Amino acid sequence: MGDAGPDFQVNSLIHNRSAVNLNGIGELLGVKMFRMLLGFILAVLVVPAAFAQSGYRIQSGDVLQMEVLEDPSLNRSLLVLPDGTVSLPLVGTVKASGRSLDTMRSTIAGALAPNFAAPPTIFLTVGQLNPVTNAVNNAAAQAAASQVRPYGTIAVYAVGEVNTPGRMDVETGTTLLQFLAESGGMTKFAATKRIQLRRADRKTGTETVYRYNYKAVQSGAKSPVIVLREGDVIVIPERRLFE
């Protein structure tokens, strides 16, 4: 086979250079896409936590987690003392109580700056809340959780001579008789012949009272089927003398 002509060599050279350029562009785009993806992941994971802590004011008893990017040997936990201060390495005592995390981060960076060629990069988070704040948050969370009602249920209330008075969440469609069967029972002083179901109408501001003879039902009598509604109140009166 003869030698390739000049035109073939030029075309081959152009093709090879184009392949190199395309590969380089592909690698560059790959790196950029990876960086964008990494940045997006960090934003999803870090930003919500940072936003949640941005409005918090540091208090005595909190434990702050400090990281210094330029000198990891300075990374440590900082306990906010009763006087509201923390002890920083290379610096000494710095006031922390009452400050936001952003303000405290800037304060630490400024205090450590003389020890670096340029102001250091400080990462600061609340590693542990003080016991009082933690207890308040836990109580608030429990109170909020207690208000969460299972799907498909309604809230009704029992008062009087019932073993478990108060609010109960029952399934939609539960009847009064079913409620009495599953509510934990009535006390020995209950007037089972005079049970009341009180239903308020918020639109008209009126209340309808249904009377229910549970004792007759126990003896085999027929009874009206009363389906409970949201907010119904079941009243179990106390038995009268000789009743």
Side-chain angles (χ1 to χ4, degrees):
M1 182 180 293
D3 295 337
D7 292 340
F8 178 79
Q9 293 177 355
V10 170
N11 290 335
S12 298
L13 181 60
I14 292 174
H15 180 270
N16 291 337
R17 287 182 176 177
S18 298
V20 171
N21 290 338
L22 289 174
N23 289 337
I25 293 173
E27 292 177 358
L28 180 60
L29 289 175
V31 171
K32 288 185 176 180
M33 289 295 293
F34 175 76
R35 288 178 177 175
M36 290 175 62
L37 181 60
L38 180 61
F40 175 76
I41 293 174
L42 290 175
V44 170
L45 296 177
V46 175
V47 170
F51 177 78
Q53 296 194 30
S54 60
Y56 180 72
R57 296 289 173 174
I58 299 170
Q59 301 178 33
S60 297
D62 288 346
V63 177
L64 309 179
Q65 296 294 334
M66 181 186 74
E67 295 184 11
V68 183
L69 182 63
E70 291 77 6
D71 188 356
S73 66
L74 299 178
N75 297 350
R76 64 198 59 206
S77 298
L78 304 174
L79 173 63
V80 184
L81 300 176
D83 63 357
T85 64
V86 295
S87 181
L88 292 178
L90 306 178
V91 175
T93 300
V94 175
K95 181 183 177 182
S97 182
R99 292 180 172 177
S100 67
L101 287 176
D102 288 339
T103 301
M104 191 62 189
R105 188 181 298 111
S106 300
T107 300
I108 293 175
L112 292 175
N115 301 283
F116 295 86
T121 304
I122 307 297
F123 297 98
L124 191 68
T125 59
V126 179
Q128 181 179 335
L129 294 173
N130 65 83
V132 174
T133 301
N134 198 34
V136 170
N137 288 344
N138 289 339
Q142 292 176 1
S146 66
Q147 299 301 317
V148 177
R149 197 164 64 208
Y151 178 77
T153 62
I154 59 173
V156 296
Y157 304 84
V159 296
E161 298 301 320
V162 60
N163 289 326
T164 55
R167 167 179 161 169
M168 288 187 62
D169 295 323
V170 299
E171 293 183 4
T172 303
T174 299
T175 66
L176 176 58
L177 181 59
Q178 290 171 333
F179 172 81
L180 294 174
E182 67 181 17
S183 62
M186 293 169 278
T187 72
K188 62 181 181 180
F189 302 106
T192 57
K193 294 191 298 184
R194 296 186 290 109
I195 294 176
Q196 301 175 15
L197 185 144
R198 294 180 172 268
R199 179 171 295 164
D201 188 333
R202 296 181 180 179
K203 294 181 180 180
T204 62
T206 60
E207 182 183 54
T208 303
V209 180
Y210 300 89
R211 302 189 183 279
Y212 193 83
N213 189 339
Y214 181 67
K215 187 173 183 179
V217 173
Q218 287 179 308
S219 300
K222 293 183 179 181
S223 64
V225 178
I226 303 175
V227 179
L228 299 180
R229 295 181 184 177
E230 176 76 24
D232 280 352
V233 179
I234 295 91
V235 180
I236 314 295
E238 184 179 2
R239 190 175 57 196
R240 302 190 187 102
L241 188 62
F242 305 117
E243 184 178 0

